[in-house]
Amino acid sequence: MTKIKSLDDLRQKKQQLEQGMDIREKSDHPENLVQIKVAMATCGIASGARTVMNTLVEKMKKEKIAAVVTQTGCMGYCYAEPTVEVTKPGMDPVVFSYVDVKKAEEIVDKYILNNELLDGILPKNYQTI
Amino acid sequence: MYKMQLLVCSGTGCRASASATIVEKLNESLKAHQLTEEAQVVTTGCFGFCEKGPIVKVIPDNTFYTQVKPEDAEEIVTEHILKGRKVSRLLYEDPENKEHIIDSKHMGFYQKQMRIALRNCGVIDPENIDEYIVRDGYSALAQVVTDLTPEQAIDMVKQSGLRGRGGAGFPTGLKWEITSKFSSDQKYVVCNADEGDPGAFMDRSILEGDPNSIIEAMAICGYCIGATKGLVYIRAEYPLAIKRLEIAIGQAREYGLLGNNIFGSKFSFDMELRYGAGAFVCGEETALIASMEGKRGEPRVKPPFPAESGYMHKPTNVNNVETFANVPVIFLKGPEWYSAIGTEKSKGTKVFALAGKINNVGLIEVPMGITLREIIYEIGGGIKNGKNFKAVQTGGPSGGCLTEAHLDTPIDFDSLVAAGSMMGSGGMIVMDEDDCMVSIAKFYLEFIVEESCGKCTPCRIGNKRMLEILEKITQGKGSMEDLDHLRNLAYVIKDTSLCGLGQSSPNPVLSTLENFYDEYVAHVKDKRCFAKQCKAMAKYTINPDVCTGCTICARNCPVDAITGEKREPHFIHQEICTHCGVCYQKCKFNAINVE
């Protein structure tokens, strides 16, 4: 193990290690971050939600956007799977349909980074209590 | 990179309920489903919600699974991790509206808490120093040894208003300053991890959940007072805490965070453990030091205080585990931030071990100044089985019982003393209508009689006499003079004992005499115990209308005091009955009455 000999060493060490821990830090204040939910029930997984989710996790890391990417159960849009719900801080959730790897990247580039909407947005037709 | 993490509590409580097997099963199951790249299992320290352990928390969605069994691991993986469906039968159920709470942020147990000393418990893996470093670990130490003089650092601790969490509440900064003023070739920092109050386990949980915070704080203290050696006095009954502390010390040494020239400065510091045999009196600092030197654990006359002449007659600073756990935060967030929390004279937070007749038994940390009502009803979830609150005992065998009248008193060091109890190390035992206060006083006195070191006659013999009187009272043989005797003895013991143990040992008796005098009188005059706990006074009778004549009572009575024909009401012969209560426990039809 390399020794930590100065405050800078400690800071560097901390930065190197941060990635493994940051989902624990983020889970403390999810409301201030972009929240992405990937529907991953049987139908979602069958249509490729797992690859979509992995793409999103990687892409957000690459773009250095603070986000919480979680999986969720069936949202009910089984005809349009894989579906992804994005909630930006202080905004209403938006649900994107037929998301593949390409579209997942578009969501990040266009909607999350630039607020541009994409084709295939599903109307939010439910209320939660 | 992991998408999800499963935090599994591996404090002593949850481990006793097989949390280590749960970790194994979770890992097996993740492997079987090829999810090891996506989800990671992390063992952490105590979450505090011991009532419902073992706990498994899934992040980032903050799902809080309670009372998880090893056989549930497979379902958690296949349902939650694979398909994103929470396993609702394992979710925490709100005791009031019976709804499943999916997010730990919405649990009443956590909403009122503020976690400073417990900041990393249940969040990081205590056996991995890297996780502590990510949570700003050791940066307070780096800041102190590279940027501050010892005087500046001591000033910050003084400004924060931190007071010793071991019981007496002595200002920590002042203690450090006094020790720093004595010059010597060698000084010592000692951490008092001899936690002895019945029911208190906050020090153990901190050491098990976040051992590095203690190492960092002890090094900071060493820098401030000019000591290069740290000693942790820990009871051998805490094997897991010892193991984790040893791992943490080893890792800190490998990183050079303990050893010579820490962070390139001129400051060197190293630590060792010293094991205690679990004697209550060794929580008193002079007895603790004697025990560390290999002598009998007996207190001695102060002065000289340990700050002047302590371990091996060298200046020694002794602080409690929880006190140390607060120290790094004071430097990270600043003394102003810290002193803004709490009441005028008691700053910061306090960890309490909630126990007794309360729904959410566990470990909580709350800002000073919170009321007992908030702790018991909002965090603790109220009294078990909908019974009535009677009293709460704080401060362990040195503390006292508080009643309904004290429920709205803001809690801090001084208000508890004013109410006839004390903060102590933070045990909080809740009692309901079924608890007999005379028996409670007797229980604590039994503990004291066992634990008195025997050095001072008033404590050794006086407490024994008090216990005998209480035994007499609970057997229905007490007189009103006995109550006066009790009070006199209590004051003599208080005034003439040498150490804190003796001086505070009569507190449970005095506070119950003060707050529940009627109950004592009922025991003495009417020979009655309201709570029906003093069996010697109970009169057991059989209600002939309810009795089915099943004979179970007669068959179980150890002295054959019950007679009756099969399928006919039975009868208890009072002259033979020894009031053991077996018939009452065995009767399936509630036909036995107790008066």
Side-chain angles (χ1 to χ4, degrees), chain A residues 53-100:
Chain A
M53 180 159 181
N54 289 340
T55 313
L56 283 167
V57 172
E58 291 300 322
K59 178 83 178 163
M60 297 304 274
K61 198 175 108 188
K62 206 174 105 202
E63 302 286 342
K64 297 198 170 57
I65 305 167
V68 186
V69 186
T70 52
Q71 47 187 326
T72 171
C74 178
M75 291 199 232
Y77 310 112
C78 305
Y79 62 95
E81 294 292 351
T83 51
V84 173
E85 182 186 293
V86 181
T87 315
K88 295 179 71 170
M91 289 169 70
D92 284 336
V94 179
V95 181
F96 297 91
S97 62
Y98 302 108
V99 182
D100 54 12

Side-chain angles (χ1 to χ4, degrees), chain B residues 114-426:
Chain B
M114 175 168 198
R115 300 188 142 216
I116 296 177
L118 298 176
R119 61 194 177 280
N120 289 326
C121 287
V123 179
I124 65 168
D125 178 353
E127 298 184 14
N128 184 352
I129 192 173
D130 288 348
E131 299 210 340
Y132 181 67
I133 289 175
V134 174
R135 301 268 296 178
D136 287 319
Y138 290 101
S139 35
L141 177 63
Q143 181 201 340
V144 170
V145 300
T146 54
D147 290 347
L148 301 175
T149 64
E151 293 76 33
Q152 286 171 327
I154 290 176
D155 268 344
M156 285 174 75
V157 179
K158 278 168 84 178
Q159 277 169 37
S160 73
L162 176 64
R163 293 171 66 174
R165 299 292 193 250
F170 191 81
T172 307
L174 188 60
K175 203 175 202 178
W176 291 14
E177 189 176 57
I178 296 168
T179 320
S180 74
K181 296 253 162 81
F182 290 100
S183 54
S184 170
D185 54 335
Q186 178 73 59
K187 294 185 187 179
Y188 294 99
V189 178
V190 171
C191 174
N192 181 351
D194 188 70
E195 185 174 43
D197 287 9
F201 56 98
M202 59 286 295
D203 293 348
R204 193 194 73 210
S205 287
I206 292 171
L207 289 168
E208 284 175 2
D210 192 16
N212 280 289
S213 68
I214 304 304
I215 298 174
E216 184 180 8
M218 285 178 73
I220 293 174
C221 176
Y223 178 77
C224 290
I225 66 167
T228 55
K229 188 106 198 167
L231 298 164
V232 182
Y233 184 81
I234 183 166
R235 38 179 59 209
E237 290 107 313
Y238 283 181
L240 188 63
I242 290 173
K243 182 185 144 209
R244 297 221 167 119
L245 203 49
E246 277 172 344
I247 292 173
I249 292 173
Q251 291 176 342
R253 277 193 194 128
E254 277 183 51
Y255 273 156
L257 299 167
L258 282 177
N260 291 329
N261 303 100
I262 294 168
F263 291 110
S265 71
K266 287 191 184 126
F267 173 63
S268 303
F269 191 80
D270 207 352
M271 322 185 10
E272 276 175 34
L273 304 188
R274 289 281 188 278
Y275 306 132
F280 184 59
V281 73
C282 289
E284 201 282 337
E285 53 184 9
T286 58
L288 180 151
I289 288 167
S291 168
M292 284 204 304
E293 290 169 341
K295 298 178 189 143
R296 276 184 75 147
E298 285 184 350
R300 61 160 175 81
V301 178
K302 291 190 271 191
F305 286 89
E308 186 182 349
S309 172
Y311 182 64
M312 298 295 178
H313 303 290
K314 305 286 184 192
T316 305
N317 180 86
V318 185
N319 280 133
N320 158 274
V321 173
E322 194 191 329
T323 316
F324 278 129
N326 279 287
V327 168
V329 182
I330 292 171
F331 290 97
L332 290 173
K333 300 245 183 191
E336 300 79 21
W337 178 85
Y338 193 86
S339 64
I341 306 160
T343 62
E344 196 192 339
K345 287 189 176 151
S346 303
K347 302 299 186 190
T349 55
K350 179 75 192 86
V351 184
F352 288 102
L354 272 185
K357 309 280 179 65
I358 191 159
N359 277 317
N360 300 341
V361 169
L363 202 62
I364 61 161
E365 182 169 354
V366 286
M368 299 269 192
I370 195 170
T371 62
L372 277 174
R373 190 183 297 280
E374 286 172 281
I375 292 185
I376 294 169
Y377 289 97
E378 293 180 37
I379 299 172
I383 308 297
K384 263 206 172 121
N385 304 322
K387 299 253 181 176
N388 287 324
F389 169 83
K390 184 168 190 180
V392 55
Q393 210 279 353
T394 68
S398 312
C401 289
L402 304 172
T403 61
E404 195 135 19
H406 301 109
L407 274 181
D408 292 308
T409 318
I411 303 175
D412 64 18
F413 286 106
D414 311 293
S415 68
L416 283 179
V417 172
S421 183
M422 68 185 284
M423 182 78 82
S425 64

Side-chain angles (χ1 to χ4, degrees), chain B residues 388-581:
Chain B
N388 287 324
F389 169 83
K390 184 168 190 180
V392 55
Q393 210 279 353
T394 68
S398 312
C401 289
L402 304 172
T403 61
E404 195 135 19
H406 301 109
L407 274 181
D408 292 308
T409 318
I411 303 175
D412 64 18
F413 286 106
D414 311 293
S415 68
L416 283 179
V417 172
S421 183
M422 68 185 284
M423 182 78 82
S425 64
M428 199 173 259
I429 299 174
V430 179
M431 293 151 200
D432 69 5
E433 51 195 304
D434 293 340
D435 285 307
C436 161
M437 300 317 285
V438 184
S439 305
I440 296 287
K442 199 177 94 186
F443 165 78
Y444 282 106
L445 216 50
E446 275 166 8
F447 180 83
I448 291 288
V449 167
E450 191 117 305
E451 292 292 341
S452 169
C453 76
K455 182 167 180 159
C456 312
T457 315
C459 172
R460 181 183 71 240
I461 299 180
N463 279 315
K464 179 85 182 148
R465 291 291 96 83
M466 291 221 302
L467 179 60
E468 285 164 4
I469 297 176
L470 285 181
E471 266 162 6
K472 219 173 117 189
I473 295 175
T474 52
Q475 306 216 323
K477 296 172 189 159
S479 64
M480 288 306 280
E481 283 118 64
D482 284 331
L483 298 187
D484 293 335
H485 276 314
L486 267 184
R487 201 169 262 150
N488 283 340
L489 261 172
Y491 284 119
V492 172
I493 296 170
K494 236 175 155 32
D495 290 343
T496 53
S497 295
L498 172 64
C499 80
L501 188 153
Q503 287 162 9
S504 58
S505 61
N507 283 354
V509 175
L510 280 175
S511 79
T512 45
L513 266 178
E514 174 71 26
N515 294 324
F516 298 95
Y517 190 67
D518 293 351
E519 249 186 273
Y520 277 88
V521 174
H523 278 75
V524 171
K525 278 197 170 159
D526 315 335
K527 311 291 174 204
R528 276 197 63 198
C529 174
F530 297 142
K532 296 172 187 164
Q533 291 296 309
C534 298
K535 285 183 181 150
M537 280 182 253
K539 188 185 173 201
Y540 293 89
T541 50
I542 292 174
N543 180 351
D545 300 335
V546 186
C547 180
T548 60
C550 74
T551 73
I552 194 162
C553 56
R555 278 183 283 126
N556 282 286
C557 177
V559 290
D560 294 325
I562 306 177
T563 53
E565 292 297 314
K566 262 188 200 170
R567 298 199 188 84
E568 295 292 328
H570 279 45
F571 181 75
I572 302 177
H573 297 270
Q574 297 300 330
E575 66 284 2
I576 310 175
C577 176
T578 57
H579 320 282
C580 70

